[in-house]
Amino acid sequence: MQHTRRPHRVVALALDGVYAFELGIPSRILGAADGRYEVLTCTVDGRPVHTDAGFTVTPEHGPEILGTADTVVIAAVPPARVGPEQPPEVTAALARVRPDARIVSICTGAFVLAAAGLLDDRRATTHWCVADQFRRWYPRVRLDPDVLFVDDGRILTSAGAASGVDVCLHLVRTDHGSALANTVARRCVVPPFRDGGQAQYIEQPVPAQGAAGTAATRAWALGRLEEPLSLADLAAHAGMSLRTFARRFHDEVGLSPGRWIVQQRVARARHLLETSDLTVDQIAGRVGFATGASLRQHLHASIGVSPQAYRRTFRAAR
């Protein structure tokens, strides 16, 4: 059915020195969501800004457009350009944002929000390499530098570079469900789901010649989520000892095999809750949870709601 409601307006704020990649993420990801979002870009004074990539960006809008935004995205700048306080023109631009607008930062964009006092007493994240500096300047923020992004209701913060993709996909999933988010991910050729709680920084040394990875086993497991999948099953499929497989899996994914499997089962359950009329018990069986109660427990631990509430939310949205 043709979508006729006004597109959700997203305005990306480009500060001088902005990382070009991060500035382009909202338009690339949200712009692929079947017209559900209108993505605009502005600067604090309407004038061009330099990027870190050696070229200048000339947005079509000045700060006045921030007052019309449903979601505002603060793109990242190099760490050398952030400080404990920010220029008055940035403060004035942020003052235009509506009190009910959602605000998202990518990487060091969290410094801009923190300097404006918007993150006081909130949980937030930023790039792990500037976490110590962030804590010194903004002790009132409950910083978690070990995650990809934090959804704290009206304000979302994300870590460096690719986690901006993750948080934008999270917006699509939250607003319109996992089916559209997965479609957007396929169009943009990016992973459809990385849990916000996944580790930011994962050591991935170059494997020794002939060393096997765990990707094939992960794909094998995704096709069998409804079956019991023990660490021994996964290691046997990969042809590794338990200890070697567990270590290599964590090096590649940043999670233990058990936590990763639970994460995938929850993601599959969310999709079925949105797109089918199966009961909670039936969905639990199809994704590998022993009982509906187990599914309820894991879903609540992951996103803080019951299966029934989750289903009602997305049925109402459609």
Side-chain angles (χ1 to χ4, degrees):
M1 184 172 67
Q2 183 70 28
H3 181 73
T4 57
R5 288 184 296 176
R6 178 184 71 82
H8 183 103
R9 174 168 285 185
V10 179
V11 177
L13 175 60
L15 301 176
D16 200 46
V18 66
Y19 283 120
F21 174 76
E22 280 87 335
L23 180 60
I25 288 173
S27 178
R28 187 68 185 92
I29 300 297
L30 302 178
D34 292 341
R36 303 296 178 93
Y37 300 92
E38 175 192 28
V39 185
L40 307 173
T41 304
C42 75
T43 59
V44 296
D45 54 10
R47 287 182 278 197
V49 294
H50 299 288
T51 72
D52 74 308
F55 58 83
T56 298
V57 172
T58 307
E60 296 180 351
H61 303 281
E64 65 283 349
I65 200 70
L66 290 168
T68 71
D70 301 304
T71 294
V72 173
V73 180
I74 311 298
V77 296
R81 287 182 175 266
V82 299
E85 299 179 357
Q86 60 192 4
E89 61 269 22
V90 177
T91 301
L94 290 178
R96 295 174 177 267
V97 178
R98 299 198 324 259
D100 61 336
R102 182 168 56 188
I103 303 177
V104 182
S105 69
I106 300 177
C107 191
T108 55
F111 282 77
V112 177
L113 300 185
L118 295 172
L119 298 182
D120 286 353
D121 304 315
R122 287 181 177 270
R123 182 168 169 260
T125 193
T126 189
H127 197 290
W128 61 269
C129 73
V130 293
D132 289 343
Q133 184 180 58
F134 189 98
R135 283 196 182 100
R136 287 194 300 271
W137 289 349
Y138 311 115
R140 290 188 58 182
V141 181
R142 294 185 285 118
L143 185 71
D144 185 350
D146 297 324
V147 297
L148 296 178
F149 62 85
V150 170
D151 182 341
D152 195 43
R154 176 180 169 245
I155 299 182
L156 298 90
T157 51
S158 62
S163 63
V165 173
D166 297 316
V167 77
C168 284
L169 284 173
H170 175 72
L171 296 181
V172 178
R173 188 177 298 108
T174 300
D175 294 344
H176 302 291
S178 61
L180 182 57
N182 291 342
T183 297
V184 170
R186 286 193 297 272
R187 288 172 179 166
C188 298
V189 198
V190 296
F193 180 79
R194 290 200 301 168
D195 181 30
Q198 183 171 324
Q200 275 193 38
Y201 182 63
I202 304 169
E203 288 282 4
Q204 290 185 294
V206 178
Q209 187 172 5
T214 65
T217 297
R218 296 199 301 275
W220 174 82
L222 285 174
R224 294 165 174 79
L225 287 179
E226 72 282 2
E227 302 174 10
L229 292 170
S230 67
L231 178 60
D233 295 330
L234 300 173
H237 180 272
M240 302 179 194
S241 70
L242 294 178
R243 180 176 296 181
T244 298
F245 179 81
R247 183 182 68 249
R248 190 160 293 161
F249 191 101
H250 193 279
D251 286 346
E252 295 177 8
V253 180
L255 301 170
S256 69
R259 184 179 172 190
W260 180 83
I261 287 174
V262 168
Q263 186 185 89
Q264 303 311 312
R265 284 173 170 158
V266 168
R268 182 80 54 86
R270 290 171 67 175
H271 176 72
L272 290 174
L273 286 167
E274 295 169 24
T275 60
S276 79
D277 293 317
L278 295 171
T279 67
V280 172
D281 287 340
Q282 288 172 327
I283 292 173
R286 291 200 180 191
V287 303
F289 289 124
T291 64
S294 179
L295 169 57
R296 291 183 184 93
Q297 177 185 351
H298 286 294
L299 186 69
H300 193 276
S302 176
I303 59 175
V305 299
S306 68
Q308 292 87 349
Y310 185 83
R311 173 172 269 167
R312 282 196 302 270
T313 297
F314 284 100
R315 292 290 171 88
R318 286 198 294 272

